[in-house]
Amino acid sequence: MDLQFVRKCIKIVNDAQIAELEIEEEGKRLRITRTFAHESQVISMPYPAAQQAPVAAAPAAHAPASPAPAAAAADTAGDHHEVRSPIVGTFYRSSSPDAAPYVQVGDSIGQGQILCIIEAMKIMNEIESDVAGRIVKVLVENGQPVEYDQPLFLIDPS
Amino acid sequence: MIGNRHIRLDVVDSTNRYARDLVREGPPEGTVITAQSQTAGRGRLDRQWLSAGAQNILASIILYPTRPMEEWGGLPLLTGLAVCRAVRRVSPIEPDLKWPNDILVGNRKLCGILVESGRIGEKSWVVVGIGLNVNQVRFDGSYRTEPTSLAREAGRPFATDDVLSAVCREMNELYSLWKGKGNAPVMTAWKSASSMFGKNVIADENGRRTEGIAVDLGEDGSLCIKLSDGSIRYFLAGDVSIRKES
């Protein structure tokens, strides 16, 4: 049971707006719960402790705190597609401080086009668009830290 | 095997740029691209990498890591460690490692590493760029950190192919270890090869400076610093310098 799997499960819980998901396999148990009133998620792995449980829990900070904000977020995104950060790191809109941004609001982009770089542990990770369309909004300032699964761009799919 | 396929170029803008373009053609993992000289050598954030023609190692290695992305922080560290071990193997020089991927002799910089990654469809690629100064003894121009080379430190020239072979061999060993067991054994080996632990350091994250004592590496490759109030912070990004008085 690796962290990517845990993250996928968190996404399923968030996307499906379900209260609890529990999976047990090969002697390991993963339970993800959503508390609709205050706290968004509690991750519990009672068997072999996840070495990086705090990292796995990071998406909680960006998960909707209640169904109401979730609905509001959905309104903001509307029919637009969100490109999210696959990792924790620093967001850069261009390859260097002097270079032009990879994309600007209003630009038409193709699927697979580089949108930004997320730097983590000195690895410059190119983040591509998974859809073709038009950039509607850039949601993060250049040079700012980003969390796992944090929305970075809104794209109007073509 | 790293280095089984070796593409030798005379002049190129950047071996990393060449490798990134080549990735689209699906070269085997471990393909190494080297050049005699670069017209647009660069480091992190497009900082310029200067190297005199045909004297140094300018290499890029193509990898397709399948471990979870949150473990990729081990890759720059294992690259620095591989270079450090290779230098020890081919010379009497005792280089030091400074988090995350600086290789120093004294306070002089011997090697620069630039790791870039991306995806093509469902496949992730990583290009590890290594600029290792071998035979260059004169460094004109301005540098952020004073540069040095194997020849300058050892007082004799080296065969760049021998040094590159040693780097590939060490890199192959550490990358195989990482592929099989992840970050933990690489972090342990890295810590024992670096003198920075126990020293006062300053971490600079986009101008925000934090001072403390470097005490450990996190499992994800982050640097663990103990602050004066006793609290612990983990750094995943930023420039770290070691305070001179420490």
Side-chain angles (χ1 to χ4, degrees), chain A residues 2-4 7 51-52 55 86-88 90 92 95-97 99 114 119-126 128 143, chain B residues 20 44-46 69-70 72-73 76-77 99-101 115-117 119 125 206 219-222 236-239:
Chain A
D2 64 29
L3 283 178
Q4 278 191 333
R7 286 173 175 169
Q51 287 177 325
Q52 298 180 327
V55 178
I87 43 169
V88 177
T90 306
Y92 292 110
S95 61
S96 75
I114 298 168
E119 181 185 14
M121 284 298 303
K122 305 277 168 151
I123 302 180
M124 313 307 280
N125 300 280
E126 291 177 350
E128 299 176 343
Chain B
R20 289 168 39 170
R44 183 175 158 262
L45 302 179
D46 266 359
M69 205 172 183
E70 55 266 26
W72 289 12
L77 288 138
W99 186 88
N101 56 9
V115 184
E116 297 177 280
S117 83
R119 291 174 77 84
W125 56 263
N206 291 321
E219 284 261 348
D220 53 359
S222 56
L236 273 163
D239 288 315

Side-chain angles (χ1 to χ4, degrees), chain A residues 90 92 143 145, chain B residues 44 99 202-210 225 233-240:
Chain A
T90 306
Y92 292 110
Chain B
R44 183 175 158 262
W99 186 88
I202 300 168
D204 187 326
E205 294 172 291
N206 291 321
R208 204 172 65 228
R209 287 156 61 94
T210 307
I225 296 179
R233 280 198 57 194
Y234 287 88
F235 288 85
L236 273 163
D239 288 315
V240 170

